[in-house]
């Protein structure tokens, strides 16, 4: 455990250094853009932003958690997460709805972050015109998408860091959601839906 803790501190330090270097590269890309080198600047800025996103998620993964325990209305948490997703381009052309009511004891910030990650994944999996349903009951919350579905082996693999189902994915969205949920006494299970799509179930 001590070795793993040391490794976590070391890799977090490396990630911070990468973040600083990426800030310099981003500044140079913006300078190139202002001086008329639009094509070269565009490619540099695009790659830099992708790497920044990866480093940020890695730092979130390495960060120790200190969750709080509060009585939560799951439908309120779901409504806030859906509102946030509707402001993101990934949700465009898809319907997000919530049904049911329930309560749980958890950390409102960590649960919100985990649910946003799950909803983002569901939107990416669901084709245009499809629907993402958040279904709530006592101590349980499900995100149901209309994507191609996952095999059980793939579902297990995607909960491991850096295992992404998309070529442009960081492979940290689902592991981060799992980490945030486990920290507050909840668990996450991915499973195929009989009618197609995937169920991401949070259970306390």
């Amino acid at each position: 455990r001590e070795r793993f803790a040391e490794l976590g501190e070391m890799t977090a330090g490396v990630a911070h250094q990468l973040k600083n270097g990426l800030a310099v590269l981003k500044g140079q890309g913006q300078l190139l853009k202002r001086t008329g080198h639009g094509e070269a600047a565009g490619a540099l800025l695009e790659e830099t932003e992708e790497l920044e996103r990866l480093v940020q998620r890695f730092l979130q993964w390495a960060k120790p958690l200190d969750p709080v325990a509060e009585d939560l209305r799951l439908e309120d948490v779901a409504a806030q997460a859906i509102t946030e997703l509707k402001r993101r381009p990934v949700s465009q052309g898809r319907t997000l709805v919530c049904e049911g009511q329930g309560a749980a004891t958890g950390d409102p910030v960590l649960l919100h972050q985990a649910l946003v990650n799950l909803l983002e994944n569901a939107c990416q999996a669901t084709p245009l015109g499809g629907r993402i349903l958040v279904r709530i009951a006592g101590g349980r919350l499900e995100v149901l998408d209309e994507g191609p579905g996952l095999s059980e082996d793939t579902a297990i693999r995607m909960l491991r860091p850096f295992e992404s189902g998309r070529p442009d994915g960081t492979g940290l969205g689902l592991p981060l959601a799992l980490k945030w949920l486990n920290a507050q006494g909840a668990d996450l299970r991915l499973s195929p839906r009989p009618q197609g799509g995937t169920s991401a179930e949070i259970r306390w």
Side-chain angles (χ1 to χ4, degrees):
R1 286 197 297 269
E2 288 176 1
R3 290 287 179 88
F4 274 119
E6 290 172 1
L7 182 61
E9 289 178 8
M10 182 185 72
T11 49
V14 171
H16 273 295
Q17 290 301 317
L18 285 171
K19 194 175 180 182
N20 293 336
L22 288 170
V24 174
L25 288 173
K26 190 173 184 178
Q28 293 299 311
Q30 291 168 341
L31 181 61
L32 278 172
K33 189 175 182 179
R34 286 197 296 270
T35 55
H37 301 280
E39 186 175 346
L44 178 59
L45 289 171
E46 184 178 340
E47 287 298 320
T48 302
E49 286 167 6
E50 284 295 315
L51 288 170
E52 278 183 331
R53 186 163 66 95
L54 176 61
V55 170
Q56 183 60 36
R57 290 214 159 180
F58 184 82
L59 287 171
Q60 288 178 313
W61 170 260
K63 181 181 176 182
L65 298 176
D66 186 20
V68 299
E70 295 181 11
D71 293 332
L72 304 174
R73 296 302 310 175
L74 296 179
E75 63 272 19
D76 294 338
V77 178
Q80 292 169 2
I82 287 172
T83 297
E84 180 169 335
L85 255 293
K86 285 181 176 178
R87 292 195 292 262
R88 299 187 181 188
V90 71
S91 70
Q92 299 307 304
R94 297 158 181 89
T95 303
L96 287 85
V97 293
C98 178
E99 66 179 33
Q101 295 180 329
T105 301
D107 186 304
V109 175
L110 294 180
L111 180 56
H112 173 83
Q113 291 175 326
L115 188 52
V116 165
N117 277 14
L118 294 177
L119 286 169
E120 187 172 48
N121 266 32
C123 286
Q124 289 164 342
T126 299
L128 290 173
R131 185 177 83 142
I132 294 96
L133 171 64
V134 180
R135 190 164 61 195
I136 296 169
R140 186 166 60 92
L141 188 154
E142 278 185 285
V143 177
L144 307 170
D145 69 41
E146 295 182 348
L150 299 173
S151 68
E152 190 170 341
D153 288 345
T154 302
I156 293 170
R157 181 173 55 80
M158 287 181 66
L159 291 173
R160 298 173 187 154
F162 304 110
E163 294 278 358
S164 177
R166 296 179 295 108
D168 59 342
T170 62
L172 283 172
L174 287 173
L176 274 171
L178 178 62
K179 177 185 176 180
W180 291 329
L181 292 169
N182 286 169
Q184 57 189 300
D187 202 6
L188 173 63
R189 182 172 183 267
L190 304 178
S191 57
R193 301 174 65 192
Q195 64 271 54
T198 299
S199 162
E201 181 184 21
I202 302 171
R203 187 184 288 270
W204 279 262

